[in-house]
């Protein structure tokens, strides 16, 4: 499938999605949002065979957020409209996707680009990469879930300073603050992220989707409600082919062959 602003391929069980506007640090345009939406529709299709997604960017940036060239001059734009129709559906879709999303942050991730990365399930970053909640520099509030995810990942004190000061932080700082999973050497990023996506794609997909859903739900649940949710999920997963295979493989002392069912 060929797109103008992203590269997209479903390679066996791994869907690879690469932002591809390197001269503008892969910043988001309406066209890119449309292409991402189309790619996610393909990934979600039961025929896709995808069981994990790998997201990265081309060139020296990961994503610099909204393309500000599209906001030049003229009348004040209705940003609520673009958030409502483009950014929020993208983040909601990523969080609802019933398979893990690995993000390989290859360079600067700024504005909505940073929060797009944080909406993925496991984030690796190149040692030279950086993160910036650029919004306050242009008079905006962190969007794409930034005000929700930052305090949860980094704690309220760091979230406030990150959002208000809009300073650029290193990948190592981001890892030390719990914003991302791991920093890897630049020349190892692509290989390590691909290996991680392939590893996740071979795991019991329904269980990974349930983990993702349960952890997100826990953010707004009581312990009581969460215990009930875990019971319900365990009941459902206990009837899955992958659970039967996992137990059989353990008892037979062999590697499991999960099918994502
Ligand atoms: O509008 C809505 O719909 C609401 C939604 C908003 C969501 C948002 O994301 S708001 C936040 C938007 N993003 C920013 O404010 C970040 C702007 N970019 C920067 O601050 C810096 O570029 C970086 C810190 C990301 C990287 O700095 P540096 O020095 O490494 O690179 P650079 O030289 O600034 O950028 C390289 C090129 O990319 C340059 O183009 P040129 O001069 O070589 O032709 C630059 O203009 C372009 N670029 C970088 N970011 C953007 C961009 N072009 C358009 N939009 C960008 N966001």
């Amino acid at each position: 499938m060929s797109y103008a602003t992203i590269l997209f391929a479903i390679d066996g069980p791994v869907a690879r999605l690469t932002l591809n506007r390197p001269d503008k640090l892969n910043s988001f345009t309406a066209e890119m949002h449309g292409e991402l939406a189309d790619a996610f529709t393909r990934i979600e299709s039961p025929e896709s065979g995808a069981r994990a997604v790998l997201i990265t960017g081309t060139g020296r940036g990961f994503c610099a957020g909204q393309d500000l060239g599209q906001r030049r001059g003229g009348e004040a734009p209705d940003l609520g409209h673009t958030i409502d129709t483009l950014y929020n559906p993208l983040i909601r879709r990523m969080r609802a996707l019933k398979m893990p999303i690995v993000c390989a942050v290859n360079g600067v991730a700024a504005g909505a680009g940073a929060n797009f990365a944080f909406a993925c399930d496991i984030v690796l970053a190149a040692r030279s990469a950086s993160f910036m909640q650029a919004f306050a520099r242009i008079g905006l509030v962190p969007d794409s879930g930034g005000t929700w995810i930052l305090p949860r990942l980094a704690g309220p004190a760091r979230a406030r300073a990150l959002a208000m000061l809009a300073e650029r932080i290193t990948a190592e700082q981001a890892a030390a603050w719990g914003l991302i999973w791991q920093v890897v050497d630049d020349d190892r990023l692509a290989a390590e992220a691909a290996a991680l996506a392939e590893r996740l794609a071979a795991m019991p997909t329904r269980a990974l989707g349930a983990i993702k859903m349960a952890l997100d739900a826990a953010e707004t649940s009581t312990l009581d409600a969460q215990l009930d949710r875990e019971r319900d999920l365990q009941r459902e997963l206990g009837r899955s082919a992958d659970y039967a295979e996992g137990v059989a493989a353990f008892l037979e002392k062999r590697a499991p062959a999960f099918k994502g069912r």
Side-chain angles (χ1 to χ4, degrees):
M1 183 69 218
S2 162
Y3 294 109
T5 67
I6 62 172
L7 305 174
F8 178 65
I10 298 184
D11 189 3
V14 178
R16 296 166 195 269
L17 213 163
T18 304
L19 307 182
N20 190 31
R21 300 181 68 236
D23 52 326
K24 298 295 175 198
L25 301 183
N26 300 320
S27 51
F28 288 112
T29 58
E31 184 180 27
M32 185 188 272
H33 274 289
E35 294 185 345
L36 285 169
D38 193 70
F40 274 107
T41 299
R42 288 170 194 278
I43 292 168
E44 287 161 356
S45 145
E47 292 78 48
S48 77
R51 290 170 59 192
V53 181
L54 173 56
I55 297 180
T56 192
T58 55
R60 74 176 179 87
F62 170 69
C63 176
Q66 169 63 36
D67 183 329
L68 297 177
Q70 297 203 326
R71 299 285 177 265
R72 206 188 300 271
E75 277 184 27
D78 178 0
L79 300 188
H81 180 71
T82 53
I83 297 295
D84 211 23
T85 55
L86 303 177
Y87 287 95
N88 286 354
L90 173 63
I91 301 299
R92 288 194 173 110
R93 207 159 184 185
M94 291 165 70
R95 296 312 311 150
L97 193 70
K98 294 191 171 97
M99 66 185 81
I101 307 179
V102 174
C103 186
V105 179
N106 53 295
V108 64
N115 297 332
F116 172 61
F118 298 147
C120 297
D121 294 297
I122 303 188
V123 184
L124 303 182
R127 206 166 293 284
S128 67
S130 56
F131 295 84
M132 187 167 110
Q133 293 295 317
F135 308 90
R137 291 191 181 213
I138 57 167
L140 296 181
V141 62
D143 60 29
S144 304
T147 59
W148 187 87
I149 196 93
L150 289 173
R152 284 170 168 80
L153 294 178
R158 285 169 178 156
R160 262 170 224 196
L162 283 168
M164 289 186 178
L165 301 176
E167 285 176 2
R168 200 160 163 170
I169 62 164
T170 63
E172 290 191 356
Q173 184 90 77
W177 286 359
L179 288 161
I180 64 169
W181 170 238
Q182 247 172 23
V183 178
V184 297
D185 289 336
D186 288 24
D187 60 353
R188 296 288 312 146
L189 180 70
E192 299 249 348
L196 181 58
E198 280 155 25
R199 179 176 153 198
L200 288 162
M203 291 179 69
T205 314
R206 284 180 59 182
L208 301 189
I211 289 169
K212 176 169 173 163
M213 191 275 265
L215 290 174
D216 279 1
E219 298 295 345
T220 50
S221 286
T222 60
L223 173 61
D224 243 11
Q226 201 62 13
L227 288 171
D228 287 349
R229 181 168 284 116
E230 290 170 2
R231 174 205 58 210
D232 294 346
L233 289 170
Q234 220 67 308
R235 177 172 288 141
E236 191 186 317
L237 292 168
R239 294 176 180 137
S240 72
D242 279 348
Y243 170 69
E245 168 62 7
V247 173
F250 175 79
L251 296 175
E252 292 161 21
K253 299 190 187 303
R254 61 172 173 83
F258 296 118
K259 298 280 191 300
R261 291 196 292 265

